[in-house]
Amino acid sequence: MTRDTLLDFFEDTFVHDDPFIVHDDRDRVRQVTYRGLAKAARAFAARLRAEGVAPDATVVIWSENRIEWVIAQWGAVLARVVLVPVDYRASADAVRRISRIVGAKAVLVGAAVTPSDDLAAPVWRLTEVASPEAGLPDAPARTGAEGVTGATVAQIVFTSGATADPKGVRLTHRNILANLIPIEQEARKYRRYLRPFHPVRFLNLLPQSHMFGQLMTTIVPPMVRGTVIFAHGYSPAEMLRQIRSRRVSVLVCVPKVLDVLRAHLVRILPDTAGPDPLAGRHWIRRVWHYRRVHRLFGWKFCAIVCGAAPLSPDIEAFWRKLGYLVIQGYGLTETAPVVTLNHPLRATVGTVGMPLAGVEIRIADDGEILVRGDNVTTGYVTESGTATPALSDGWFHTGDIGGIDAEGRLRIKGRKRDMIVTAQGLNVFPDDVERVLVTQPGVRDAGVVGHTVDGDERVHAVLALEPGVDAHGVVRDANATLADHQRIWSSSVWPGETLPRTDGTHKLKRREIQRWVAGMAPDAPAVTGAASVESVVARFASGRDLGPETTLDELGLSSLDCVALLIALEEAFQTTLDEVMIAEAHTLADLRCLVAADAGPDGAGPQAPRHGAPIVFPSWTRSRTSRLLRRLSLPTWILPTTRLFMNLRVEGLEHLASIDGPVVFAANHQSHMDTPAIFSALPPRWRYRVAVAIRKEFFHAHFHRRHADWKARVNSLGYVLACQFLNGFPLPQREAGTRGALRYMGDLAADGYSILIYPEGQRTERGEIIEFRPGVGLIAARLGVPVVPIRLEGLDHVLHRDRRFPRRGRVRVAFGAPMRLVGEDYAALAAQVEVAVRSLDSC
């Protein structure tokens, strides 16, 4: 296949209906096929042209990983627009600065960023301009892409945005194709062996703003018709859940993730620690020996692709010992990004593979790695707006020190600028010393920098320690295993739990550590869990004074408030919590302990089992048998029977004709006959794709079985029948479990089911409408689906809450216009829905 530009790859690859990207944002799962993404990308390219973004203009994208990111990426390629990626954790100041340097025509922002009003370019929400769910029109295959060549700039990727001299790396179609073509040729050899495992699923935890993250989303998976999974949350429990439940084959991550997962495994499966008992044995023996690990991850999980930072040999050896393939390479943004890549079946621990076809490397006299090839950038864009070259004497100087073994594999020793030269003229690479330090008991994190004393550069260790650990003892034990020239001369203890690291790749910020050591920042703030937890809880405290002994009961948190608090804590600490833990935390001090225990050392997960039985949601109601039984029962005997008691009048169905599901149906609550009345009013295309939220406390005996008496059995039978025939699911109001209900509703929405809820939370006495609870606001905002208000009248006369048997009466069901709820003030959003329902009053 001819590959002159990225457009050739796009048009050859994105032509089928296999799932391409699955995005799990914790609340709802969205997915798009290859063909669906191609259609959305063409429509976005057309929109760029319609908005006056001309070819070769620049557009900044500042967003978390999501489907719309990839749509915008390919749309920019199709429109010959230069994309400028920025990590979503970057500051608004950095984005503003970059936008001015490149002269951006627009800034595309994701849901996880809060843009300011002065970003030097118009702000476009990705969810509004590049959503595959927006019913986008067809557009020409190459909108505005005339004149695209290999020399056309596709992206400008900034290696720094907050320093005094930010540099943007100019990457052309030819640069990126120099990576794509050799990998595609190699992948083609193994494609037939992957067919039994189709689809190959990649859990990609690298940011799309990083070139390696893009490679492992938009280039490699399409070569094998694979599926990419974007997930939020980096706690070991969440990563394990994603890998196992989504049957992931390949994990794409940075080394820190593997280190955290290793610590988690060693804690729950201690036999995984220690030396390799099967050295030299066949990999099948390893898989069988560590079958508990493979059962934990799922049997389809087989490989790890690690990049963006150096991988420690001991971490690599640990995962190979368990029977997993570990694939790593070496590269930089300036090389688009790959220089060398390990063959998954012929890798040597501690090396980063051989150069890709068409790439040359050599080692300079001082040990620096030099690179030459079509993948190397043509130059930089600086703050002055001028382009500067990247090559010197025809070679790109990487700034890394390395060597080449007898078989041609590259081995990385460290960064040239980080290398410490002792008074004896010997070189010390900080990575080597740090690997020894982090193995010492009580060391959370370690960084090694050069510290000048009396004109001589010394090895200085900065340690993040567990409480009570003696730093001098740590250094003494580490020095006992280090070579003479590597030994630590001095040390200091960092005033925080972890050392400063970059957001996307978790590399140490050595310059910041070195400045602190030199005394330039003696008052560096300690990042402690206590202050962070209190700051998060303060959002829900309504101005109350908070202290360690403040009880959560004093805050008056409802189950809904607990869900919002959980979400905020999970996002702040990148961990996974549950409501049972919150229920067991009586004070803020308890809550801090729970958060710390869930993270464990290095975020390694919970150190003790949690209590409380989670709700088991009725996913069986979506089985083929259950759906068939419901489809047969509703129109033949359930709805006809209930209709005997209703003189039904339906209004507003025209509002449903113009939209597709899923939606949230929000109705006032008068009677147990409300749901049959709504089902009778709904057209068939909606009726059989609705799930009904039922009050969990109404079936208390089913969820809290203490006695198997006849009342409990009747209560359980009623719950099962409600789930089967009404597609019901439990929604707690006072008890823990709302977070799980929200995730279940996200799964329903992902499967195309609409959700019927009654925001008042109870049946009213005389048919009046009472205040809507904030839950409807949270559900609709987090799931990102429209709300259709429903006004019910007359059902309190048909079956009043104080009666057991209905009587015939007039019933009115009125559907309102769909509405979108955006924001985090869920009470205010619920009030909007209440107003919409009240406005449907009969004249």
Side-chain angles (χ1 to χ4, degrees):
M1 301 178 186
T2 303
R3 295 279 187 261
D4 295 325
T5 70
L6 291 171
L7 293 168
D8 299 320
F9 177 76
F10 178 79
E11 292 177 356
D12 291 341
T13 307
F14 291 78
V15 294
H16 51 83
D17 291 317
D18 287 356
F20 176 31
I21 299 178
V22 175
H23 179 206
D24 183 351
D25 66 358
R26 294 188 179 187
D27 298 318
R28 181 183 173 190
V29 178
R30 296 173 175 84
Q31 72 174 25
V32 66
T33 66
Y34 281 85
R35 198 188 307 275
L37 185 131
K39 177 181 178 181
R42 292 186 181 105
F44 179 70
R47 172 145 193 174
L48 287 173
R49 295 301 302 274
E51 295 289 341
V53 182
D56 300 323
T58 55
V59 170
V60 171
I61 182 167
W62 181 28
S63 170
E64 72 284 1
N65 288 2
R66 56 186 310 115
I67 293 171
E68 293 85 355
W69 205 111
V70 184
I71 291 172
Q73 178 186 10
W74 281 113
V77 170
L78 291 166
R80 213 180 88 192
V81 168
V82 181
L83 197 68
V84 184
V86 180
D87 190 281
Y88 78 96
R89 290 158 291 206
S91 67
D93 288 339
V95 176
R96 184 183 308 109
R97 194 174 189 181
I98 290 171
S99 300
R100 287 172 178 160
I101 291 172
V102 300
K105 298 300 181 183
V107 178
L108 307 173
V109 299
V113 302
T114 304
S116 59
D117 297 330
D118 56 346
L119 289 182
V123 174
W124 297 355
R125 280 284 177 189
L126 275 172
T127 52
E128 298 173 1
V129 301
S131 173
E133 302 170 351
L136 300 169
D138 290 323
R142 296 195 177 196
T143 303
E146 300 82 3
V148 173
T149 67
T152 300
V153 176
Q155 291 192 28
I156 299 176
V157 183
F158 278 77
T159 58
S160 174
T163 66
D165 186 24
K167 294 190 303 183
V169 180
R170 300 168 71 246
L171 296 176
T172 65
H173 285 245
R174 182 180 296 113
N175 295 149
I176 299 172
L177 286 174
N179 272 186
L180 185 156
I181 293 173
I183 296 175
E184 185 178 29
Q185 290 172 346
E186 191 69 19
R188 197 175 294 128
K189 300 176 185 178
Y190 299 93
R191 193 174 294 166
R192 60 179 177 177
Y193 301 111
L194 294 174
R195 287 173 185 167
F197 305 99
H198 184 79
V200 178
R201 298 181 181 91
F202 298 76
L203 176 58
N204 193 344
L205 300 180
L206 291 175
Q208 288 299 102
S209 54
H210 194 282
M211 284 303 298
F212 192 64
Q214 292 183 39
L215 179 78
M216 295 306 302
T217 295
T218 59
I219 301 298
V220 173
M223 293 176 183
V224 295
R225 297 178 68 162
T227 300
V228 179
I229 297 167
F230 290 153
H232 296 270
Y234 301 102
S235 71
E238 176 64 14
M239 287 186 281
L240 280 172
R241 187 188 73 82
Q242 292 287 350
I243 291 171
R244 183 175 56 249
S245 65
R246 301 200 181 282
R247 303 182 69 216
V248 168
S249 301
V250 182
L251 170 65
V252 182
C253 63
V254 295
K256 186 65 176 177
V257 168
L258 294 185
D259 193 18
V260 167
L261 277 175
R262 177 179 65 168
H264 181 63
L265 277 181
V266 169
R267 179 171 292 105
I268 61 177
L269 298 174
D271 62 328
T272 59
D276 186 358
L278 300 172
R281 301 295 182 89
H282 196 277
W283 67 270
I284 294 179
R285 291 283 302 275
R286 297 177 181 278
V287 172
W288 177 249
H289 182 79
Y290 291 107
R291 57 190 177 277
R292 291 176 64 194
V293 175
H294 288 264
R295 192 179 301 120
L296 187 67
F297 281 95
W299 290 102
K300 198 173 181 183
F301 181 59
C302 61
I304 298 164
V305 177
C306 192
L311 176 63
S312 171
D314 63 310
I315 297 177
E316 181 183 0
F318 173 84
W319 290 99
R320 289 189 182 279
K321 176 184 72 175
L322 300 181
Y324 293 109
L325 297 174
V326 180
I327 306 164
Q328 65 167 322
Y330 166 71
L332 306 94
T333 302
E334 288 88 343
T335 58
V338 180
V339 173
T340 66
L341 195 63
N342 259 330
H343 192 288
L345 303 178
R346 297 192 294 271
T348 300
V349 174
T351 67
V352 291
M354 297 183 179
L356 293 182
V359 178
E360 298 178 67
I361 61 173
R362 73 178 178 91
I363 307 300
D365 293 339
D366 61 356
E368 184 176 6
I369 302 168
L370 309 182
V371 180
R372 182 166 64 186
D374 284 342
N375 63 323
V376 178
T377 177
T378 57
Y380 299 100
V381 175
T382 62
E383 189 159 17
S384 63
T386 60
T388 59
L391 302 182
S392 177
D393 299 326
W395 292 87
F396 174 67
H397 291 243
T398 64
D400 292 315
I401 303 295
I404 301 175
D405 65 15
E407 296 180 341
R409 296 186 178 93
L410 182 64
R411 188 181 298 271
I412 307 298
K413 297 180 180 179
R415 291 290 293 168
K416 183 177 179 179
R417 67 181 182 182
D418 296 333
M419 186 173 65
I420 302 168
V421 182
T422 68
Q424 294 77 29
L426 299 176
N427 297 334
V428 178
F429 294 100
D431 291 345
D432 296 334
V433 182
E434 289 161 2
R435 279 194 287 270
V436 174
L437 283 170
V438 296
T439 62
Q440 303 302 313
V443 177
R444 287 174 168 165
D445 204 355
V448 172
V449 296
H451 183 45
T452 302
V453 179
D454 296 331
D456 294 334
E457 194 171 26
R458 311 276 187 160
V459 178
H460 183 90
V462 179
L463 305 171
L465 302 174
E466 298 283 354
V469 175
D470 178 27
H472 298 292
V474 169
V475 171
R476 182 181 61 248
D477 293 341
N479 279 340
T481 63
L482 291 167
D484 288 344
H485 70 287
Q486 294 177 316
R487 287 178 179 169
I488 300 164
W489 189 83
S490 60
S491 67
S492 54
V493 177
W494 183 259
E497 296 184 357
T498 59
L499 297 178
R501 292 180 177 271
T502 58
D503 292 322
T505 59
H506 294 280
K507 295 178 182 177
L508 279 174
K509 295 182 177 178
R510 294 191 192 276
R511 301 283 80 78
E512 184 176 327
I513 296 172
Q514 201 159 26
R515 287 195 300 269
W516 181 78
V517 170
M520 294 177 64
D523 299 321
V527 182
T528 63
S532 296
V533 168
E534 288 185 354
S535 64
V536 173
V537 175
R539 304 179 204 169
F540 305 87
S542 301
R544 298 183 182 90
D545 293 331
L546 299 178
E549 300 306 316
T550 301
T551 66
L552 297 184
D553 288 340
E554 290 177 39
L555 303 181
L557 298 181
S558 66
S559 62
L560 174 67
D561 295 326
C562 285
V563 171
L565 175 59
L566 280 176
I567 293 170
L569 288 170
E570 288 175 341
E571 292 174 349
F573 291 93
Q574 288 299 304
T575 186
T576 302
L577 304 171
D578 58 52
E579 289 165 279
V580 175
M581 294 177 66
I582 297 294
E584 294 175 350
H586 300 294
T587 66
L588 290 190
D590 294 337
L591 185 58
R592 289 199 299 270
C593 292
L594 288 173
V595 171
D598 188 80
D602 295 325
Q607 302 182 53
R610 300 171 183 172
H611 303 287
I615 301 173
V616 178
F617 290 91
S619 57
W620 54 269
T621 58
R622 284 173 280 161
S623 67
R624 180 175 299 179
T625 301
S626 181
R627 287 187 288 115
L628 178 61
L629 181 58
R630 188 159 54 247
R631 189 71 182 251
L632 293 174
S633 300
L634 281 173
T636 56
W637 63 275
I638 296 178
L639 295 184
T641 301
T642 57
R643 284 289 297 271
L644 293 175
F645 300 96
M646 302 180 198
N647 182 10
L648 186 63
R649 184 178 62 166
V650 181
E651 300 174 4
L653 288 178
E654 66 275 8
H655 296 303
L656 301 181
S658 59
I659 61 170
D660 295 318
V663 302
V664 171
F665 290 110
N668 60 306
H669 199 11
Q670 295 186 328
S671 165
H672 284 319
M673 295 285 280
D674 291 349
T675 299
I678 293 173
F679 273 34
S680 296
L682 283 170
R685 79 178 183 96
W686 288 94
R687 179 187 304 151
Y688 302 109
R689 303 292 294 178
V690 173
V692 183
I694 55 180
R695 185 179 174 186
K696 174 177 178 284
E697 289 78 5
F698 187 80
F699 296 101
H700 180 83
H702 173 80
F703 292 99
H704 302 275
R705 299 184 187 182
R706 296 177 181 174
H707 305 286
D709 57 18
W710 69 270
K711 290 184 178 179
R713 287 193 291 269
V714 169
N715 188 268
S716 289
L717 177 62
Y719 172 76
V720 172
L721 293 176
C723 291
Q724 167 56 53
F725 293 113
L726 300 179
N727 197 11
F729 65 91
L731 181 62
Q733 291 187 3
R734 295 187 302 272
E735 304 176 20
T738 308
R739 178 65 169 135
L742 187 62
R743 177 175 285 279
Y744 182 75
M745 284 185 273
D747 292 340
L748 287 169
D751 285 346
Y753 284 87
S754 296
I755 296 160
L756 172 59
I757 61 174
Y758 298 98
E760 294 165 304
Q762 61 181 352
R763 291 167 290 160
T764 53
E765 174 68 27
R766 295 178 297 278
E768 73 279 11
I769 296 178
I770 61 177
E771 182 181 5
F772 279 20
R773 297 187 178 185
V776 65
L778 182 144
I779 292 167
R782 299 294 300 189
L783 298 187
V785 298
V787 175
V788 175
I790 301 177
R791 177 67 181 261
L792 301 177
E793 293 179 349
L795 286 158
D796 56 317
H797 297 292
V798 172
L799 182 60
H800 192 271
R801 69 180 189 179
D802 295 333
R803 291 205 311 268
R804 294 187 178 183
F805 196 79
R807 62 185 180 187
R808 187 171 174 81
R810 294 180 178 180
V811 173
R812 175 176 174 265
V813 179
F815 297 92
M819 54 193 301
R820 288 275 183 181
L821 303 184
V822 179
E824 296 184 356
D825 187 346
Y826 303 127
L829 297 179
Q832 294 180 31
V833 180
E834 180 185 338
V835 169
V837 171
R838 289 181 181 274
S839 69
L840 298 174
D841 191 12
S842 58
C843 297

